[in-house]
Coordinates of all heavy atoms in Angstrom, one line a residue:
M262 N 117.8 99.6 82.4 CA 117.1 98.4 81.8 C 116.0 97.9 82.7 O 116.1 97.8 83.9 CB 118.2 97.3 81.7 CG 117.7 96.1 80.9 SD 118.0 96.3 79.2 CE 119.8 96.3 79.1
M263 N 114.8 97.7 82.1 CA 113.7 97.3 82.8 C 113.5 95.8 82.5 O 113.7 95.3 81.4 CB 112.4 98.0 82.3 CG 112.4 99.5 82.2 SD 112.6 100.2 83.8 CE 111.0 99.8 84.6
T264 N 113.1 95.1 83.6 CA 112.7 93.7 83.4 C 111.2 93.6 83.6 O 110.7 94.0 84.6 CB 113.4 92.8 84.4 OG1 114.8 93.0 84.2 CG2 113.1 91.4 84.2
I265 N 110.5 93.1 82.6 CA 109.1 93.0 82.6 C 108.7 91.6 83.0 O 109.2 90.6 82.3 CB 108.4 93.4 81.3 CG1 108.7 94.9 81.0 CG2 106.9 93.1 81.3 CD1 108.4 95.3 79.6
K266 N 108.0 91.4 84.1 CA 107.6 90.1 84.6 C 106.1 89.9 84.5 O 105.3 90.8 84.7 CB 108.1 89.9 86.0 CG 109.6 89.8 86.1 CD 110.0 89.6 87.6 CE 111.5 89.6 87.7 NZ 111.9 89.5 89.1
C267 N 105.7 88.6 84.4 CA 104.3 88.2 84.4 C 103.8 88.3 85.8 O 104.5 87.8 86.8 CB 104.3 86.8 83.8 SG 102.6 86.1 83.9
T268 N 102.6 88.8 86.0 CA 102.0 88.9 87.4 C 101.5 87.5 87.8 O 101.3 87.2 88.9 CB 100.9 89.9 87.5 OG1 100.0 89.7 86.4 CG2 101.4 91.3 87.5
R269 N 101.2 86.7 86.8 CA 100.6 85.4 87.1 C 101.7 84.3 87.5 O 101.6 83.7 88.6 CB 99.8 84.8 85.9 CG 98.9 83.7 86.3 CD 98.4 83.0 85.1 NE 97.3 83.7 84.4 CZ 96.8 83.2 83.2 NH1 97.3 82.1 82.7 NH2 95.9 83.9 82.6
C270 N 102.7 84.2 86.7 CA 103.7 83.2 87.0 C 105.1 83.7 87.4 O 106.0 83.0 87.8 CB 103.9 82.2 85.8 SG 104.7 83.0 84.4
K271 N 105.2 85.1 87.4 CA 106.4 85.8 87.9 C 107.7 85.5 87.0 O 108.8 85.9 87.4 CB 106.8 85.4 89.3 CG 105.6 85.5 90.3 CD 105.4 86.9 90.8 CE 104.5 86.9 92.0 NZ 103.0 86.8 91.6
K272 N 107.5 85.0 85.8 CA 108.6 84.8 84.9 C 109.0 86.1 84.2 O 108.1 86.9 84.0 CB 108.2 83.7 83.9 CG 108.5 82.3 84.3 CD 108.3 81.4 83.1 CE 108.4 79.9 83.6 NZ 107.9 79.0 82.6
K273 N 110.3 86.2 83.9 CA 110.7 87.3 83.1 C 110.2 87.1 81.7 O 110.4 86.1 81.0 CB 112.3 87.3 83.1 CG 112.9 87.7 84.4 CD 114.4 87.6 84.3 CE 115.0 87.7 85.7 NZ 116.4 87.4 85.7
I274 N 109.6 88.2 81.1 CA 109.1 88.1 79.8 C 110.0 88.9 78.8 O 110.4 88.4 77.8 CB 107.6 88.6 79.7 CG1 106.8 87.8 80.7 CG2 107.1 88.3 78.3 CD1 105.5 88.5 81.0
I275 N 110.2 90.2 79.2 CA 110.9 91.1 78.2 C 111.9 91.9 79.0 O 111.6 92.4 80.1 CB 109.9 92.0 77.5 CG1 109.0 91.2 76.6 CG2 110.6 93.1 76.8 CD1 107.8 92.0 76.1
K276 N 113.1 92.1 78.4 CA 114.0 93.1 78.9 C 113.9 94.3 78.0 O 114.0 94.1 76.7 CB 115.4 92.5 78.9 CG 115.8 91.7 80.2 CD 117.2 91.3 80.2 CE 117.5 90.4 81.4 NZ 118.9 89.9 81.3
Y277 N 113.7 95.4 78.5 CA 113.4 96.6 77.8 C 114.2 97.8 78.2 O 114.4 98.0 79.4 CB 111.9 96.8 78.0 CG 111.3 98.0 77.1 CD1 111.3 97.9 75.8 CD2 110.8 99.1 77.8 CE1 110.7 98.9 75.0 CE2 110.2 100.1 77.0 CZ 110.2 100.0 75.6 OH 109.7 101.1 74.9
K278 N 114.6 98.6 77.2 CA 115.3 99.8 77.5 C 114.2 100.9 77.5 O 113.8 101.5 76.5 CB 116.3 100.1 76.3 CG 117.6 100.6 76.8 CD 118.4 101.1 75.6 CE 119.2 100.0 75.0 NZ 120.0 100.5 73.8
K279 N 113.8 101.3 78.7 CA 112.8 102.3 78.9 C 113.4 103.7 79.0 O 114.4 103.9 79.7 CB 111.9 102.0 80.1 CG 110.7 102.9 80.2 CD 109.8 102.5 81.4 CE 108.5 103.3 81.5 NZ 108.7 104.8 81.5
I280 N 112.9 104.6 78.3 CA 113.4 106.0 78.3 C 112.3 106.9 78.9 O 111.2 106.9 78.4 CB 113.8 106.5 76.9 CG1 115.0 105.6 76.4 CG2 114.3 107.9 77.0 CD1 115.3 105.8 75.0
G281 N 112.7 107.6 79.9 CA 111.7 108.6 80.5 C 110.9 107.9 81.6 O 110.7 106.7 81.7
R282 N 110.4 108.7 82.5 CA 109.6 108.2 83.6 C 108.2 108.1 83.2 O 107.8 108.4 82.1 CB 109.7 109.2 84.8 CG 111.0 109.2 85.5 CD 111.1 110.2 86.6 NE 112.4 110.2 87.2 CZ 112.8 109.3 88.1 NH1 112.0 108.4 88.5 NH2 114.0 109.4 88.6
G283 N 107.4 107.6 84.1 CA 106.0 107.4 83.8 C 105.7 105.9 83.6 O 106.5 105.1 83.5
R284 N 104.4 105.7 83.4 CA 103.9 104.3 83.3 C 104.3 103.7 81.9 O 104.6 104.4 81.0 CB 102.4 104.3 83.3 CG 101.8 103.5 84.4 CD 100.3 103.6 84.4 NE 99.7 103.0 85.5 CZ 99.7 101.7 85.8 NH1 100.3 100.8 85.0 NH2 99.0 101.2 86.8
L285 N 104.4 102.4 81.9 CA 104.8 101.7 80.7 C 103.5 101.3 79.9 O 102.8 100.4 80.2 CB 105.6 100.5 81.0 CG 106.2 99.7 79.9 CD1 107.3 100.5 79.2 CD2 106.8 98.4 80.4
W286 N 103.2 102.2 79.0 CA 102.0 101.9 78.1 C 102.3 101.1 76.9 O 101.5 100.3 76.4 CB 101.3 103.2 77.7 CG 100.8 104.0 78.9 CD1 101.3 105.1 79.4 CD2 99.6 103.7 79.7 NE1 100.6 105.5 80.5 CE2 99.5 104.7 80.7 CE3 98.7 102.7 79.7 CZ2 98.5 104.7 81.7 CZ3 97.7 102.7 80.6 CH2 97.6 103.7 81.6
Y287 N 103.5 101.4 76.3 CA 103.9 100.8 75.1 C 105.3 100.3 75.2 O 106.1 100.9 75.9 CB 103.9 101.8 73.9 CG 102.5 102.3 73.6 CD1 102.1 103.5 74.1 CD2 101.6 101.5 72.9 CE1 100.8 104.0 73.8 CE2 100.3 102.0 72.6 CZ 99.9 103.2 73.1 OH 98.7 103.7 72.8
C288 N 105.6 99.2 74.5 CA 107.0 98.7 74.4 C 107.4 98.9 72.9 O 106.8 98.3 72.0 CB 107.1 97.3 74.7 SG 107.6 97.0 76.4
W289 N 108.4 99.8 72.7 CA 108.8 99.9 71.3 C 109.8 98.8 71.0 O 110.7 98.5 71.7 CB 109.5 101.3 71.1 CG 108.5 102.4 71.4 CD1 108.2 103.0 72.5 CD2 107.7 103.0 70.4 NE1 107.2 103.9 72.3 CE2 106.9 104.0 71.0 CE3 107.5 102.8 69.0 CZ2 105.9 104.7 70.3 CZ3 106.6 103.6 68.3 CH2 105.8 104.5 69.0
K290 N 109.5 98.1 69.9 CA 110.2 96.9 69.5 C 111.7 97.1 69.4 O 112.5 96.2 69.7 CB 109.7 96.3 68.3 CG 108.3 95.6 68.5 CD 107.8 94.9 67.3 CE 106.5 94.3 67.5 NZ 105.9 93.8 66.2
D291 N 112.1 98.3 68.9 CA 113.6 98.5 68.7 C 114.3 98.7 70.0 O 115.5 98.8 70.0 CB 113.9 99.6 67.7 CG 113.2 100.9 68.0 OD1 112.5 101.0 69.1 OD2 113.3 101.8 67.2
R292 N 113.6 98.8 71.1 CA 114.2 98.9 72.4 C 114.1 97.7 73.3 O 114.6 97.6 74.4 CB 113.5 100.1 73.2 CG 113.8 101.4 72.6 CD 113.4 102.5 73.6 NE 113.0 103.7 73.0 CZ 112.0 104.5 73.4 NH1 111.4 104.2 74.5 NH2 111.7 105.6 72.8
I293 N 113.5 96.6 72.7 CA 113.5 95.3 73.4 C 114.8 94.6 73.3 O 115.3 94.4 72.2 CB 112.3 94.5 72.9 CG1 111.0 95.1 73.2 CG2 112.4 93.1 73.4 CD1 109.8 94.5 72.6
I294 N 115.4 94.3 74.4 CA 116.7 93.7 74.4 C 116.6 92.1 74.3 O 117.3 91.5 73.6 CB 117.5 94.0 75.7 CG1 117.5 95.5 75.9 CG2 118.9 93.5 75.7 CD1 118.1 96.4 74.8
E295 N 115.6 91.6 75.1 CA 115.4 90.2 75.2 C 113.9 89.9 75.2 O 113.2 90.6 75.9 CB 116.1 89.7 76.5 CG 116.4 88.2 76.4 CD 117.1 87.8 77.8 OE1 118.1 88.4 78.1 OE2 116.5 87.0 78.4
D296 N 113.5 89.0 74.4 CA 112.1 88.7 74.3 C 111.8 87.2 74.5 O 112.2 86.4 73.7 CB 111.6 89.2 72.9 CG 110.1 89.1 72.8 OD1 109.4 88.7 73.8 OD2 109.6 89.4 71.7
N297 N 111.1 86.9 75.7 CA 110.8 85.5 75.9 C 109.3 85.3 75.8 O 108.8 84.3 76.3 CB 111.2 85.1 77.4 CG 112.7 85.2 77.5 OD1 113.5 84.8 76.7 ND2 113.1 85.9 78.6
S298 N 108.6 86.3 75.2 CA 107.2 86.2 75.1 C 106.8 85.2 73.9 O 107.6 84.8 73.1 CB 106.6 87.5 74.8 OG 107.0 88.0 73.6
V299 N 105.5 84.8 73.9 CA 104.9 84.0 72.9 C 104.0 84.9 72.0 O 103.2 85.6 72.6 CB 104.1 82.8 73.5 CG1 103.5 81.9 72.5 CG2 105.0 82.0 74.5
H300 N 104.3 84.8 70.7 CA 103.5 85.6 69.8 C 102.4 84.8 69.2 O 102.7 83.8 68.5 CB 104.4 86.3 68.7 CG 105.4 87.2 69.3 ND1 105.5 88.5 68.8 CD2 106.2 87.1 70.3 CE1 106.4 89.1 69.5 NE2 106.9 88.3 70.5
V301 N 101.2 85.1 69.4 CA 100.0 84.4 68.8 C 99.3 85.4 68.0 O 98.5 86.2 68.5 CB 99.1 83.7 69.8 CG1 98.1 82.9 69.2 CG2 100.0 82.8 70.8
G302 N 99.5 85.4 66.7 CA 98.9 86.5 65.8 C 99.4 87.8 66.3 O 100.6 88.0 66.4
S303 N 98.5 88.7 66.7 CA 98.9 90.0 67.2 C 99.0 90.0 68.7 O 99.3 91.0 69.4 CB 98.0 91.1 66.7 OG 96.7 90.9 67.2
E304 N 98.7 88.9 69.4 CA 98.7 88.8 70.8 C 100.1 88.5 71.3 O 100.8 87.6 70.8 CB 97.7 87.8 71.3 CG 96.3 88.2 71.1 CD 95.3 87.2 71.6 OE1 95.6 86.1 71.9 OE2 94.1 87.6 71.8
I305 N 100.5 89.2 72.4 CA 101.8 88.9 73.0 C 101.5 88.3 74.3 O 100.8 88.9 75.2 CB 102.6 90.2 73.2 CG1 102.8 91.0 71.9 CG2 104.0 89.9 73.8 CD1 103.5 90.4 70.8
K306 N 101.9 87.1 74.5 CA 101.6 86.3 75.8 C 102.8 85.9 76.5 O 103.9 85.7 75.9 CB 100.7 85.1 75.4 CG 99.3 85.4 74.9 CD 98.6 84.2 74.6 CE 97.1 84.5 74.2 NZ 96.4 83.3 74.0
C307 N 102.6 85.6 77.8 CA 103.7 85.0 78.5 C 103.6 83.5 78.2 O 102.6 83.0 77.6 CB 103.4 85.2 80.0 SG 104.5 84.3 81.1
Q308 N 104.6 82.8 78.6 CA 104.6 81.3 78.3 C 103.5 80.6 79.0 O 103.2 79.5 78.7 CB 106.0 80.8 78.6 CG 107.1 81.2 77.6 CD 108.5 80.9 78.0 OE1 108.7 80.1 78.9 NE2 109.4 81.4 77.3
C309 N 103.0 81.2 80.1 CA 101.9 80.6 80.9 C 100.6 80.9 80.2 O 99.6 80.4 80.7 CB 102.0 81.1 82.3 SG 101.4 82.8 82.6
G310 N 100.5 81.7 79.2 CA 99.3 82.0 78.6 C 98.7 83.4 78.9 O 97.7 83.8 78.4
N311 N 99.3 84.0 79.9 CA 98.8 85.4 80.3 C 99.0 86.4 79.2 O 100.1 86.5 78.7 CB 99.5 85.8 81.6 CG 99.0 87.0 82.2 OD1 97.9 87.4 81.9 ND2 99.8 87.6 83.1
L312 N 98.0 87.1 78.8 CA 98.1 88.1 77.8 C 98.7 89.4 78.3 O 98.3 90.0 79.2 CB 96.7 88.4 77.2 CG 96.6 89.4 76.1 CD1 97.2 88.9 74.8 CD2 95.2 89.9 75.8
I313 N 99.8 89.7 77.6 CA 100.7 90.8 78.1 C 100.4 92.1 77.3 O 100.4 93.2 77.8 CB 102.2 90.4 78.0 CG1 102.5 89.2 78.8 CG2 103.1 91.6 78.4 CD1 102.2 89.3 80.3
G314 N 100.2 91.9 76.0 CA 100.0 93.1 75.2 C 99.6 92.7 73.8 O 99.4 91.5 73.4
I315 N 99.3 93.8 73.0 CA 98.9 93.6 71.6 C 99.9 94.2 70.7 O 100.4 95.4 70.8 CB 97.5 94.3 71.4 CG1 96.5 93.7 72.3 CG2 97.1 94.2 69.9 CD1 96.1 92.2 72.0
D316 N 100.4 93.4 69.7 CA 101.3 93.9 68.7 C 100.7 94.9 67.8 O 99.7 94.6 67.1 CB 101.8 92.7 67.9 CG 103.0 93.0 67.0 OD1 103.1 94.1 66.5 OD2 103.8 92.1 66.8
E317 N 101.2 96.1 67.7 CA 100.7 97.2 66.8 C 101.7 97.5 65.8 O 101.7 98.6 65.2 CB 100.3 98.4 67.7 CG 99.2 98.2 68.6 CD 98.7 99.5 69.3 OE1 99.5 100.4 69.4 OE2 97.5 99.5 69.7
G318 N 102.6 96.6 65.4 CA 103.6 96.9 64.4 C 104.9 97.3 65.0 O 105.7 96.4 65.3
K319 N 105.1 98.6 65.1 CA 106.4 99.0 65.7 C 106.5 98.9 67.2 O 107.5 99.0 67.8 CB 106.7 100.5 65.2 CG 107.2 100.6 63.8 CD 107.6 102.0 63.5 CE 108.2 102.1 62.1 NZ 108.6 103.4 61.7
R320 N 105.3 98.9 67.8 CA 105.2 98.8 69.2 C 104.2 97.8 69.7 O 103.3 97.4 69.0 CB 104.9 100.2 69.8 CG 103.5 100.7 69.4 CD 103.2 102.1 69.7 NE 101.8 102.4 69.5 CZ 101.3 103.6 69.7 NH1 102.0 104.6 70.1 NH2 100.0 103.8 69.5
I321 N 104.4 97.5 71.0 CA 103.4 96.6 71.7 C 102.6 97.4 72.7 O 103.2 98.1 73.5 CB 104.1 95.5 72.4 CG1 105.0 94.6 71.4 CG2 103.2 94.6 73.2 CD1 106.0 93.7 72.1
K322 N 101.3 97.4 72.5 CA 100.5 98.1 73.5 C 100.3 97.2 74.7 O 99.8 96.1 74.6 CB 99.1 98.4 72.9 CG 98.3 99.3 73.8 CD 96.9 99.6 73.2 CE 96.2 100.6 74.0 NZ 94.7 100.5 73.9
M323 N 100.8 97.6 75.8 CA 100.9 96.8 77.0 C 99.6 96.7 77.7 O 98.9 97.7 77.9 CB 102.0 97.3 78.0 CG 103.4 97.3 77.3 SD 103.9 95.7 76.7 CE 104.3 94.9 78.2
R324 N 99.2 95.5 78.2 CA 98.0 95.4 78.9 C 98.3 95.5 80.4 O 99.0 94.8 81.0 CB 97.4 94.0 78.6 CG 96.1 93.7 79.3 CD 95.6 92.4 78.7 NE 94.4 91.9 79.5 CZ 94.4 90.9 80.3 NH1 95.5 90.2 80.6 NH2 93.3 90.6 81.0
Q325 N 97.7 96.6 80.9 CA 98.0 96.9 82.3 C 97.5 95.8 83.2 O 96.6 95.1 82.9 CB 97.4 98.3 82.7 CG 97.9 99.4 81.8 CD 99.4 99.7 81.8 OE1 100.0 99.7 82.9 NE2 100.0 99.8 80.7
N326 N 98.2 95.7 84.4 CA 97.8 94.7 85.4 C 98.2 93.2 85.1 O 98.0 92.4 85.9 CB 96.3 94.8 85.8 CG 95.9 96.2 86.2 OD1 96.7 96.9 86.9 ND2 94.7 96.6 85.8
S327 N 98.7 93.0 83.9 CA 99.1 91.6 83.6 C 100.6 91.5 83.7 O 101.1 90.4 83.5 CB 98.6 91.2 82.2 OG 99.0 92.0 81.2
F328 N 101.3 92.6 84.0 CA 102.7 92.5 84.1 C 103.1 93.5 85.2 O 102.4 94.4 85.5 CB 103.4 92.8 82.8 CG 103.2 94.2 82.3 CD1 104.1 95.2 82.7 CD2 102.1 94.6 81.6 CE1 103.9 96.5 82.3 CE2 101.9 95.9 81.3 CZ 102.8 96.9 81.6
H329 N 104.3 93.3 85.7 CA 104.9 94.4 86.5 C 106.4 94.5 86.1 O 106.9 93.6 85.5 CB 104.7 94.3 88.0 CG 105.1 93.0 88.5 ND1 106.4 92.7 89.0 CD2 104.4 91.8 88.7 CE1 106.4 91.5 89.5 NE2 105.3 90.9 89.3
Y330 N 107.0 95.6 86.4 CA 108.4 95.8 85.9 C 109.2 96.5 87.0 O 108.7 97.1 87.9 CB 108.4 96.6 84.6 CG 107.7 98.0 84.7 CD1 108.4 99.1 84.9 CD2 106.3 98.1 84.4 CE1 107.8 100.3 85.0 CE2 105.7 99.3 84.5 CZ 106.4 100.4 84.7 OH 105.8 101.6 84.7
S331 N 110.5 96.2 86.9 CA 111.4 96.8 87.8 C 112.7 97.1 87.1 O 113.0 96.5 86.0 CB 111.7 95.9 89.0 OG 112.2 94.6 88.5
G332 N 113.5 97.9 87.6 CA 114.8 98.2 87.0 C 115.0 99.7 86.9 O 114.3 100.5 87.5
T333 N 116.0 100.1 86.1 CA 116.3 101.5 86.0 C 115.8 102.1 84.6 O 115.7 101.4 83.6 CB 117.8 101.7 86.0 OG1 118.4 100.8 85.1 CG2 118.4 101.4 87.4
V334 N 115.4 103.4 84.7 CA 115.0 104.1 83.5 C 116.1 104.9 83.0 O 116.8 105.5 83.7 CB 113.8 105.0 83.9 CG1 113.3 105.9 82.8 CG2 112.6 104.1 84.4
M335 N 116.2 104.9 81.6 CA 117.2 105.7 81.0 C 116.8 107.2 81.0 O 115.6 107.5 80.7 CB 117.5 105.3 79.6 CG 117.7 103.8 79.4 SD 119.4 103.4 79.1 CE 119.7 104.2 77.6
R336 N 117.7 108.1 81.3 CA 117.3 109.5 81.3 C 117.5 110.0 79.9 O 118.4 109.6 79.2 CB 118.2 110.3 82.2 CG 117.8 110.1 83.7 CD 118.4 111.1 84.5 NE 118.0 110.9 85.9 CZ 118.5 111.6 86.9 NH1 119.3 112.6 86.7 NH2 118.1 111.4 88.1
K337 N 116.6 110.9 79.5 CA 116.7 111.6 78.2 C 118.0 112.4 78.2 O 118.2 113.2 79.2 CB 115.5 112.4 77.9 CG 114.3 111.6 77.4 CD 113.1 112.5 77.2 CE 111.9 111.7 76.9 NZ 110.6 112.4 77.1
K338 N 118.7 112.3 77.2 CA 120.0 113.1 77.1 C 119.7 114.5 76.7 O 118.9 114.7 75.8 CB 120.9 112.4 76.1 CG 121.7 111.3 76.7 CD 122.6 110.7 75.6 CE 123.2 109.4 76.1 NZ 123.8 108.6 75.1
K339 N 120.3 115.4 77.4 CA 120.1 116.8 77.0 C 121.0 117.1 75.8 O 122.2 116.8 75.8 CB 120.5 117.7 78.2 CG 119.4 117.8 79.2 CD 119.8 118.6 80.4 CE 118.7 118.6 81.5 NZ 119.1 119.3 82.7
I340 N 120.5 117.8 74.9 CA 121.3 118.2 73.7 C 121.9 119.5 73.9 O 121.2 120.5 74.3 CB 120.4 118.1 72.4 CG1 119.8 116.7 72.3 CG2 121.3 118.4 71.2 CD1 118.6 116.6 71.3
Ligands
ZN129 ZN1 103.2 84.1 83.0

């Protein structure tokens, strides 16, 4: 489970089930466990007003440098 935090106010914004390694470019909405963000139209913001990402329908395109994240990554299951 990844916890995405705002770089400006350090608050927890999203709890996310990330699968696979690598940078977090997108957040798929069906993997979001907890969402404390503020939705203004297609903009996803922290409660402090910091723009975190853009809503693209099924996923959120994350704005790099406005958040950081920590936690564990789920490994892809071998079939
Ligand atoms: Zn914030």
Side-chain angles (χ1 to χ4, degrees):
M262 190 86 66
M263 308 294 295
T264 302
I265 297 168
K266 289 180 184 177
C267 176
T268 48
R269 196 196 281 176
C270 69
K271 310 280 193 280
K272 271 187 187 164
K273 290 176 192 171
I274 307 164
I275 293 168
K276 275 186 186 171
Y277 183 66
K278 219 190 273 182
K279 187 176 187 304
I280 298 169
R282 290 182 181 277
R284 243 181 186 293
L285 186 68
W286 296 106
Y287 297 101
C288 266
W289 296 88
K290 285 182 181 172
D291 54 4
R292 293 194 207 144
I293 293 173
I294 309 299
E295 202 181 299
D296 187 358
N297 298 313
S298 63
V299 179
H300 296 232
V301 184
S303 63
E304 291 181 344
I305 310 293
K306 291 182 177 181
C307 174
Q308 286 168 14
C309 72
N311 188 15
L312 182 66
I313 301 300
I315 300 294
D316 191 328
E317 292 188 335
K319 284 186 176 179
R320 64 188 190 183
I321 299 164
K322 190 179 183 205
M323 301 303 285
R324 184 170 171 254
Q325 303 300 313
N326 306 321
S327 59
F328 66 93
H329 54 90
Y330 56 95
S331 59
T333 51
V334 172
M335 310 256 299
R336 286 194 181 177
K337 278 177 189 163
K338 280 179 187 166
K339 284 178 183 172
I340 302 162

